Amino acid sequence: MNETAAPEEGARKGGKKRTALIAVLVAIALLAVGIGAWSVWKANSAKGDAGATVTSYEGMTKEEIQADLDRKANESRMTISVAAVCKIDGENVRVNVINDSSNRFSQSFTLKQGGKTLYESGTIKPGETVEWCKAPGAEPGDAVITVQAHNADDGKATGNPQAAQVTLVESK
């Protein structure tokens, strides 16, 4: 009897191993399908605007929301000061571009006339002034000074450049 019992016992052990192996393979397959489905969902889910700041005002009063919006507006505000009438003296133009000391941003500017760039500045830190610039080819007439803000940390341009119409006149 021992001889006939042994093969049945071996078959049971082999069947249990096979059942366990099938269960593990099914679990792995379900896990793979779940990961695949999650990956597809994640890839197709809506992504936020990279340039937007997302904020939740849930639970805040109207006054608290307005105070937060005012704070954010003040943090991004920048004063721009340029001469409305710029004097030409040879190849030099008196632009008087001032980066107000209260600004949080550095600035740069370009002077253009008739679609041609006459001058491009370097970085102007808050509290600094560019009184004169070398602008060969400047002639009496209308011109545009465009001011660009720069991030104080990395120096990269930030925000929207602002243009001011100016008049170039011969210095007397």
Side-chain angles (χ1 to χ4, degrees):
M1 258 206 202
N2 285 345
E3 291 178 18
T4 57
E8 285 179 28
E9 190 176 310
R12 274 191 240 138
K13 285 183 182 178
K16 286 183 181 179
K17 285 184 182 179
R18 187 171 184 196
T19 304
L21 180 60
I22 290 172
V24 168
L25 291 174
V26 168
I28 290 172
L30 288 173
L31 182 62
V33 168
I35 291 171
W38 178 82
S39 297
V40 169
W41 172 78
K42 189 73 174 166
N44 291 325
S45 64
K47 293 175 179 50
D49 183 355
T53 302
V54 179
T55 305
S56 174
Y57 291 111
E58 189 174 329
M60 295 175 76
T61 66
K62 188 175 183 179
E63 292 78 17
E64 290 170 328
I65 294 169
Q66 187 61 54
D68 187 55
L69 292 172
D70 290 343
R71 178 188 57 78
K72 288 177 183 176
N74 287 331
E75 287 176 358
S76 65
R77 186 168 291 147
M78 180 175 73
T79 300
I80 296 172
S81 178
V82 301
V85 177
C86 302
K87 295 185 179 180
I88 302 170
D89 187 5
E91 290 191 339
N92 298 314
V93 177
R94 185 167 193 224
V95 291
N96 208 34
V97 175
I98 302 168
N99 187 352
D100 192 88
S101 60
S102 66
N103 286 336
R104 295 182 55 231
F105 303 97
S106 293
Q107 298 175 344
S108 65
F109 73 94
T110 58
L111 172 62
K112 292 183 179 184
Q113 187 176 40
K116 179 181 173 190
T117 300
L118 302 176
Y119 179 80
E120 289 184 54
S121 78
T123 302
I124 307 161
K125 294 180 180 172
E128 294 181 339
T129 299
V130 175
E131 189 171 354
W132 291 87
C133 68
K134 189 172 253 358
E139 298 176 358
D142 291 336
V144 176
I145 295 177
T146 303
V147 179
Q148 174 67 58
H150 293 268
N151 186 302
D153 296 329
D154 60 16
K156 291 183 180 178
T158 184
N160 297 320
Q162 299 298 309
Q165 184 81 28
V166 299
T167 303
L168 304 183
V169 297
E170 288 288 340
S171 182
K172 295 182 183 183

